[in-house]
Every structure is written in structure tokens, then in C-alpha cells.
Amino acid sequence: MSQPKFVPGSLDHAIFTRKSVRAFTNKPVPKELLKAIVESACRAPSGTNTQPWRVYALEGDAKNGLVNEVCKIHDAMAKDPEIAKEYTDSYDYYPQKWISPFIDRRRQNGWSLYGLLGIDKTQRDKMHEQQQRNFKFFDAPVGLVFTLNTVMGRGSLLDYGMFIQTLMLAARGVGLSTCPQAAWLAFSKIVLSHIKAGPDEMLVCAMSLGYEDETALVNTFETPREGVDTVLSWV
Ligand SMILES: Cc1cc2nc3c(=O)[nH]c(=O)nc-3n(C[C@H](O)[C@H](O)[C@H](O)COP(=O)(O)O)c2cc1C
């Protein structure tokens, strides 16, 4: 992707260098830095300043415990698809019924990523393994879990998106990378129990956070965008 040249440290630099990173180094993220990033994210706007976000940071044993539990179930699901019925997404992040152009973009995204990694449709084991990278937080040192109080309305998800994007840009501003993850939604009950969430909390999504492994092939993945004329109409 040809990127305009932006001044390092500028907001546009953070916007244009942010991408979903799917392989991280083991370099730790200092707690104070993580706190500062979340503090920046808290500056996001929300309807009537409700600030509906709640973030759980998992590192070390706390992260590994969740990873092990979910990977075990994910493996079991591959052997027995009946098990999948016990795990449903915490909310309808994706539509029940897909239509164009969304399904086309989704397919293009998925197959381009797998194509880059040399995985084709027939290689079920490899696909499973790559999908499972999600549940290892792509080896990032920090896994973030975002929850929302179930009393809140759909608008709070709009507020939440702003919070999460602000967090990702703040992270980029200090040289960190992220991958927001809806993949965890299916395992919502395990995630919520692991973080000891209250009965009124639902899982919004999770996120891998850390320093990009710049040697990893998967991180060369580039995603296109529709041209501005497709998005913007003058009335
Ligand atoms: C809310 C949300 C959930 C996502 N869930 C996943 C996920 O579970 N696994 C994954 O690899 N990427 C996930 N992504 C990343 C998207 O695939 C990615 O943002 C999109 O392809 C555009 O690429 P870019 O982020 O590199 O610009 C998610 C993105 C968002 C915003």
C-alpha cells in the first residue's frame, strides 16, 4: 500500500501505520505505558459521557491460563463440531445473513491472508492452527478484554468503537501494535469467568497488544480500502 509520507509522531502517522498485527515479539509492555494508553483511550467521546468501557489486561499466567483453556476447547471443536453448539457469540457482531458487498470483502480478506501464508481451503489442519493463533493472542505479551454492562444500549457499542480505535492509535503513537479480535466472542463464557466479570458484563471483543514481530510473514499482510468516492456522497 502506498502511504502518504506523514511526520513521525503525528496523528496521521499513527492512523496510517496502524494495522492488525498477528505476530508479536516477547518484549514486555511496561505497566505504566499500558496505563497511559488506556488513559488516552478514556478521552474518547461517549453519548452523555456514559463511558461504558471496562478493560481487563492479562499478562503472564493470567493470560496463559485463558489461552490454554480456550485452545483446548478449540481443538476439541475441530474433532467434534457438536461441541461448538455450546459456544455462541456474546452478541451479533456479524450479520446472520451475509450480502454483497460485505461478504465479498470478507472473503477477499480471509483468503488473501491465508493465501499469503500458503494455506488453501483443503488444508483444514493449517487453517485451524492459524485460526488458533487468535486464541494465543498471536503471542503478544498482553491480552486485553473489553466488556460492556448489559444494561447499556446499542449506542454504547458505537462509543466503544471510538474507545478502541483511540486506544489502538495511542498504542501506535508509542511504537506498540495491536490486533482487535472478535474471534474470542464465541468463548465469551470462558473469558468472562476467567476475568471474574460480574453477571451484568458482556464481552465486546478482545485485543492482542505488544511489539510487532517485523520478521513475520503474516505482518506483511496489507488490506485495501474502497476509494473515498464509494464512501462519500455529496447531496
Ligand atoms: C472489532 C474487530 C474485530 C476483529 N477481529 C479479528 C479477529 O478476531 N482476528 C483477526 O485476525 N483480525 C480481526 N480483526 C482485524 C480485521 O480483520 C482488520 O481490521 C481488517 O482486515 C483491516 O485490516 P487492518 O486492521 O490491518 O487495517 C478485527 C477488527 C475489528 C475492528
Side-chain angles (χ1 to χ4, degrees):
M1 183 171 43
S2 68
Q3 283 169 6
K5 298 261 175 295
F6 290 114
V7 180
S10 70
L11 178 58
D12 273 345
H13 185 264
I15 291 171
F16 280 84
T17 63
R18 187 216 55 80
K19 63 179 181 182
S20 294
V21 159
R22 297 182 178 87
F24 293 82
T25 69
N26 59 8
K27 183 177 169 183
V29 177
K31 278 199 163 52
E32 284 309 310
L33 193 56
L34 178 56
K35 258 179 102 168
I37 291 163
V38 174
E39 206 169 355
S40 297
C42 288
R43 293 306 306 167
S46 55
T48 60
N49 205 20
T50 41
Q51 306 168 65
W53 31 78
R54 182 94 205 259
V55 190
Y56 296 83
L58 287 81
E59 298 174 309
D61 289 346
K63 185 189 65 145
N64 296 336
L66 177 63
V67 164
N68 291 339
E69 198 175 337
V70 169
C71 286
K72 223 158 86 186
I73 296 167
H74 184 239
D75 281 341
M77 274 180 182
K79 291 193 188 88
D80 178 3
E82 278 295 300
I83 296 175
K85 291 186 184 157
E86 290 170 44
Y87 298 92
T88 49
D89 284 7
S90 39
Y91 65 103
D92 53 347
Y93 178 72
Y94 289 115
Q96 294 282 330
K97 189 170 172 284
W98 284 94
I99 59 163
S100 282
F102 313 111
I103 184 65
D104 313 314
R105 293 177 190 149
R106 174 177 167 84
R107 286 194 180 125
Q108 193 213 356
N109 193 65
W111 289 117
S112 305
L113 178 63
Y114 281 83
L116 172 72
L117 301 174
I119 303 172
D120 70 50
K121 278 182 195 169
T122 61
Q123 295 171 300
R124 295 203 160 270
D125 288 354
K126 284 197 169 166
M127 280 171 64
H128 175 80
E129 207 178 301
Q130 179 56 32
Q131 198 197 10
Q132 192 167 97
R133 298 274 305 140
N134 272 287
F135 309 123
K136 294 177 174 170
F137 286 110
F138 300 108
D139 298 330
V142 182
L144 297 178
V145 171
F146 302 96
T147 71
L148 175 66
N149 193 301
T150 52
V151 83
M152 300 306 277
R154 282 201 295 171
S156 292
L157 289 173
L158 185 62
D159 302 335
Y160 227 120
M162 298 186 203
F163 175 81
I164 288 173
Q165 171 74 337
T166 306
L167 191 156
M168 293 194 290
L169 295 182
R172 201 73 280 282
V174 292
L176 284 158
S177 290
T178 52
C179 185
Q181 295 174 265
W184 289 92
L185 295 181
F187 299 105
S188 149
K189 63 181 176 189
I190 301 174
V191 175
L192 292 174
S193 139
H194 200 83
I195 61 172
K196 300 184 175 59
D200 53 356
E201 282 179 271
M202 69 169 235
L203 178 63
V204 173
C205 70
M207 183 184 288
S208 302
L209 179 127
Y211 293 93
E212 177 181 356
D213 177 353
E214 292 176 0
T215 67
L217 176 64
V218 71
N219 288 336
T220 63
F221 185 53
E222 288 181 358
T223 53
R225 294 296 188 272
E226 297 297 326
V228 71
D229 291 336
T230 310
V231 178
L232 174 66
S233 308
W234 300 103
V235 179

